[in-house]
Amino acid sequence: MRQRKGLTQEQLGAQMGYTGAAVSALETLAQPVSDEMLVKLEQALGEETGVFEALRELVRLEKLPQKFRDYAPIEQQALVLSLYANHVVHGLFQTEEYARALIAGGYPEPTADRVEELVEMRVARKALFDRRPPCQIELVLIERLAGVRR
């Protein structure tokens, strides 16, 4: 798309606020594309096709833990969710601070950048609450108090 527009890597980079080296790294897959760069690529090259906008969702999914990648799109489209959480609050209902503490406490310990990336993605799942039609959610949360027998 860059070449069809007759742009060099440096010209496209300057148009988007990046260096030519950053554009080269994107084109050669030396560096993963950022969400911000995809937004700027859509503006610079997208020609209202939405191709880079569609890629944003795929890139976000790729950053999720492998075991959650197939579930995330289904969750966002679900009309009804029946959830059960044992020992922790379900991800859809976690505060940012709670999610950060859980994620940072994982093993192997994730980097600070990875923790923030995962927290941002977990909080973004709450978009489910704002969409129309709304999703009906049934949640069972088991709470156990330390030192209390039932």
Side-chain angles (χ1 to χ4, degrees):
M1 293 176 89
R2 173 184 60 77
Q3 290 173 337
R4 268 190 271 150
K5 282 201 164 196
L7 297 171
T8 66
Q9 292 174 338
E10 291 76 21
Q11 289 169 330
L12 176 60
Q15 193 175 343
M16 297 184 339
Y18 289 91
T19 63
V23 173
S24 175
L26 165 69
E27 291 180 353
T28 61
L29 303 177
Q31 289 288 325
V33 67
S34 69
D35 190 63
E36 178 185 322
M37 185 177 259
L38 285 171
V39 169
K40 292 186 178 190
L41 282 166
E42 182 67 37
Q43 295 166 352
L45 300 175
E47 298 174 353
E48 299 181 23
T49 62
V51 67
F52 294 104
E53 188 61 35
L55 284 173
R56 289 178 70 201
E57 184 60 29
L58 295 174
V59 169
R60 279 193 289 270
L61 285 174
E62 188 66 27
K63 291 180 180 182
L64 289 172
Q66 180 65 40
K67 63 185 177 186
F68 192 69
R69 286 182 197 157
D70 292 336
Y71 178 77
I74 294 168
E75 178 184 74
Q76 289 302 304
Q77 295 176 10
L79 297 177
V80 176
L81 289 173
S82 296
L83 310 169
Y84 174 83
N86 188 10
H87 303 296
V88 297
V89 174
H90 188 278
L92 282 173
F93 297 94
Q94 292 176 2
T95 65
E96 193 171 323
E97 295 78 16
Y98 186 92
R100 185 173 290 106
L102 283 177
I103 292 168
Y107 183 84
E109 187 177 329
T111 65
D113 287 343
R114 182 66 174 152
V115 169
E116 291 311 310
E117 186 176 65
L118 290 170
V119 168
E120 181 181 311
M121 287 186 283
R122 184 163 299 172
V123 171
R125 290 171 59 197
K126 294 181 182 198
L128 178 71
F129 298 132
D130 299 325
R131 67 145 216 240
R132 297 290 174 245
C135 182
Q136 176 184 340
I137 299 175
E138 299 171 0
L139 172 66
V140 175
L141 177 63
I142 303 299
E143 178 183 34
R144 301 222 166 123
L145 301 175
V148 176
R149 291 186 177 245
R150 293 183 188 201

